Amino acid sequence: MSHHHDDEFRLHTPDFQELNKRLDRRHFLTKTSLGLGALAVGSLFGAKHLFGASPGIKEESSANLEEEILKALPHIAPKAKRVVYLFMAGGPSQFETFDYKPKLYEMAGQNLPDSVRKGQRLTGMSANQSALPVVPSIYKFNQHGKNQTWISELLPYTAQVVDELCLVKSIHSEAINHDPAITFFQTGNQLPGRPSIGSWVSYGLGSDNQNLPTFIVLVSKNAPRDQPLYARLWGNGFLPSKHQGVQFRSGKDPVLFLNNPEGYEGNDRKEMLDYLTKLNQLQNEAYGDPEVDARIAQYEMAYRMQTSVPEVMDLSGESDEVFSLYGPDSRDSGTYAANCILARKLLEKDVKFVQLYHQGWDQHGGLPKNIANQCKQVDQATAALIIDLKRRGMLDDTLVIWGGEFGRTVYSQGKLTADNYGRDHHPRCFTMWMAGAGVKAGISYGETDDFSYNIIKDPVHVHDFHATLMHLLGVDHERLTYKFQGRRFRLTDVHGKLVKGILA
């Protein structure tokens, strides 16, 4: 036992560290006789370095090339300094929001023509229906703004800011079910494991605030939980872990594990973190794993966040006028409205990428009542965010995005009655909008057919959306890459084209 205790002690001497650098894994394990000394070193340095390297560790030549890629950024003059992405999880119906189709009233209840469907696949939820009856929205549309844009009566506050919006009615995806569709929008691929948009932005552009994460996520507490959200949707994938999104929650612990444990004082934790940093530095010197640097940076960030997070989460300093602007829910921490105020505060602190998730847009049945509730929860606060950013002089360099993972079908899923119906998933065409930095204001881009079933003008694929978003941030989507397992990856994979028609 004493011999192994001496081995542990020698871990801290320069001679042992130098020797450790020269030994390969097999020689190292032999010298320690696979005994308690090896286990002690494993606990200090991480067992993966004894029994196999992490597949995510980059080769030395690759690291140099990645450094050159980052030095070249931004590739073009950025229009947007920051992004707030309002993600409406579940798939909002374009028929009850932004894509007005008056000719549907003439065909109400009739079967969807084969000439429109064109044999396109359906989900398993409506594929066995004996009929696919066309159903127009029961809600009225009215024209608003300088260009007389049609907006549903369910979105009266959004209608008031329509001159700031760039409606894109021709978004399309390939994924017809929720998980692959959301994953596609958030990472550029339908399969899990790729870095999220915010992580790519963090990796490429870094941070403008050293006391807060570059990429922050907020999830509405007042939304239905009909479809789950996974932390991997804001994960870093194969990028260094410091680029993952950090979720801020309502309640006394906005960031998990950030506050000091009971019985610990600030000085105690600082001393502990200092010693932990020394251990991580030993590991870094021995193995050169870039994840060690990321780990050290994360601990340092966490320590700074103990001060910065409570300050930014505190909405008590907001005026009554601000709460009135965002609506009655805005005083309730964790609601969509309160999160919109928090998002504005984070953007003011130069957080680069803020993402709000609001679930509950999956109306396969009972759509009229449910979508009215959804719109009421987000409409006023969304418009307020646009107004608030503009009056603070921030809309010019902030990109605001609103949309879900796909649209809904023109036909009713399930039983159709005079005042009730449902809509299934429809990835072939749906509406999103952008506002602010670098996009044309007050326009509609793209066009769908009379059934909002197919695109007839200016299609915009998910990859095109990503390419355009990155362009507005000053990034050429084809040039921001990362080598992983022998292949170079990017957000848009090998696809994507800039949507020039929406650029200001």
Side-chain angles (χ1 to χ4, degrees):
M1 288 293 292
S2 61
H3 171 71
H4 294 304
H5 180 77
D6 291 342
D7 280 348
E8 292 180 53
F9 176 78
R10 284 199 296 272
L11 287 173
H12 300 280
T13 66
D15 290 343
F16 185 88
Q17 292 178 36
E18 185 59 35
L19 175 64
N20 186 47
K21 292 179 184 178
R22 295 198 303 267
L23 296 178
D24 62 22
R25 293 186 190 86
R26 183 177 293 116
H27 191 193
F28 178 67
L29 289 171
T30 302
K31 287 293 183 183
T32 54
S33 302
L34 293 175
L36 293 178
L39 296 178
V41 173
S43 68
L44 285 170
F45 292 144
K48 70 178 182 179
H49 293 298
L50 298 179
F51 304 109
S54 166
I57 296 177
K58 297 181 290 182
E59 303 87 5
E60 189 65 32
S61 59
S62 173
N64 293 335
L65 186 52
E66 307 300 344
E67 187 176 334
E68 292 303 313
I69 289 173
L70 296 181
K71 283 181 180 178
L73 287 162
H75 302 131
I76 53 177
K79 300 290 186 181
K81 290 177 60 177
R82 59 194 83 83
V83 176
V84 56
Y85 190 166
L86 311 173
F87 193 86
M88 304 294 113
S93 167
Q94 68 273 29
F95 297 97
E96 277 72 30
T97 52
F98 299 107
D99 203 4
Y100 180 44
K101 296 299 175 185
K103 291 188 178 180
L104 293 182
Y105 295 98
E106 302 171 8
M107 292 195 61
Q110 298 181 35
N111 204 43
L112 177 67
D114 291 338
S115 60
V116 175
R117 182 186 163 191
K118 299 178 180 178
Q120 295 174 35
R121 66 173 176 158
L122 309 177
T123 75
M125 292 169 284
S126 58
N128 295 323
Q129 287 187 197
S130 59
L132 301 174
V134 169
V135 52
S137 175
I138 67 169
Y139 294 105
K140 296 178 181 178
F141 274 67
N142 298 292
Q143 291 177 288
H144 300 271
K146 295 177 181 177
N147 291 329
Q148 294 292 286
T149 303
W150 292 98
I151 304 287
S152 168
E153 64 177 321
L154 294 177
L155 299 169
Y157 290 94
T158 302
Q160 294 176 21
V161 296
V162 70
D163 284 339
E164 303 295 341
L165 308 185
C166 176
L167 294 174
V168 184
K169 297 182 177 180
S170 54
I171 297 284
H172 63 104
S173 175
E174 296 149 26
I176 201 169
N177 291 310
H178 290 288
D179 188 74
I182 294 177
T183 305
F184 196 15
F185 255 100
Q186 300 305 284
T187 71
N189 195 280
Q190 296 185 45
L191 299 178
R194 300 286 182 91
S196 58
I197 305 171
S199 295
W200 278 112
V201 171
S202 174
Y203 166 67
L205 299 176
S207 175
D208 294 326
N209 184 329
Q210 299 305 312
N211 296 321
L212 288 168
T214 308
F215 175 22
I216 293 176
V217 172
L218 307 169
V219 179
S220 303
K221 74 174 185 180
N222 61 326
R225 297 290 190 268
D226 50 359
Q227 295 295 332
L229 292 176
Y230 308 99
R232 60 175 168 78
L233 295 174
W234 49 89
N236 57 293
F238 43 69
L239 293 177
S241 57
K242 66 181 179 181
H243 300 300
Q244 66 182 320
V246 177
Q247 184 179 353
F248 280 21
R249 296 167 166 83
S250 59
K252 66 175 185 178
D253 291 319
V255 180
L256 296 182
F257 313 117
L258 183 63
N259 291 332
N260 290 325
E262 290 186 15
Y264 269 78
E265 297 180 359
N267 291 337
D268 294 334
R269 194 172 202 195
K270 183 67 169 67
E271 185 177 2
M272 179 193 72
L273 290 174
D274 287 343
Y275 279 112
L276 187 59
T277 297
K278 291 177 182 178
L279 289 174
N280 283 328
Q281 287 171 342
L282 282 172
Q283 181 180 359
N284 197 25
E285 292 170 6
Y287 297 102
D289 184 348
E291 272 299 303
V292 180
D293 286 331
R295 189 184 308 167
I296 292 172
Q298 285 171 315
Y299 283 128
E300 292 173 347
M301 169 65 79
Y303 188 73
R304 295 194 298 273
M305 284 168 61
Q306 286 188 315
T307 301
S308 61
V309 169
E311 176 190 354
V312 77
M313 294 291 291
D314 183 7
L315 301 185
S316 63
E318 298 294 326
S319 67
D320 290 341
E321 186 274 336
V322 166
F323 288 120
S324 177
L325 178 67
Y326 282 84
D329 287 345
S330 62
R331 294 183 183 273
D332 185 4
S333 177
T335 62
Y336 178 83
N339 282 346
C340 281
I341 297 179
L342 180 55
R344 188 218 75 214
K345 290 189 67 176
L346 292 169
L347 296 169
E348 284 182 305
K349 298 286 187 181
D350 286 323
V351 173
K352 187 76 71 177
F353 201 97
V354 181
Q355 183 132 24
L356 276 67
Y357 288 90
H358 190 80
Q359 297 161 272
W361 294 90
D362 190 30
Q363 286 99 21
H364 291 273
L367 183 143
K369 178 182 177 180
N370 291 331
I371 200 168
N373 290 335
Q374 287 294 109
C375 288
K376 186 176 181 180
Q377 286 184 344
V378 306
D379 178 40
Q380 183 173 354
T382 300
L385 182 59
I386 298 288
I387 293 169
D388 209 4
L389 290 172
K390 185 173 183 178
R391 69 185 183 180
R392 294 169 190 267
M394 296 174 62
L395 190 58
D396 288 343
D397 56 9
T398 301
L399 179 64
V400 185
I401 302 167
W402 186 100
E405 67 267 34
F406 41 52
R408 314 303 294 196
T409 55
V410 65
Y411 60 81
S412 176
Q413 180 183 339
K415 187 177 181 180
L416 171 61
T417 67
D419 59 358
N420 195 22
Y421 52 89
R423 296 191 190 275
D424 203 354
H425 308 164
H426 189 64
R428 291 298 304 157
C429 56
F430 53 104
T431 302
M432 295 177 62
W433 59 254
M434 302 184 204
V439 297
K440 291 179 180 177
I443 72 161
S444 293
Y445 182 86
E447 189 177 342
T448 60
D449 61 21
D450 291 335
F451 298 82
S452 194
Y453 207 88
N454 300 292
I455 296 169
I456 59 176
K457 183 181 180 183
D458 297 329
V460 178
H461 189 269
V462 176
H463 291 308
D464 304 334
F465 160 67
H466 287 158
T468 307
L469 188 163
M470 299 303 282
H471 173 85
L472 291 168
L473 286 164
V475 178
D476 180 345
H477 71 105
E478 294 184 349
R479 294 169 62 189
L480 181 60
T481 63
Y482 189 90
K483 190 174 183 180
F484 175 67
Q485 293 185 339
R487 180 197 152 180
R488 297 211 165 274
F489 290 87
R490 67 185 202 221
L491 174 62
T492 52
D493 197 48
V494 294
H495 309 283
K497 62 181 183 298
L498 184 63
V499 186
K500 296 180 181 180
I502 70 171
L503 301 180

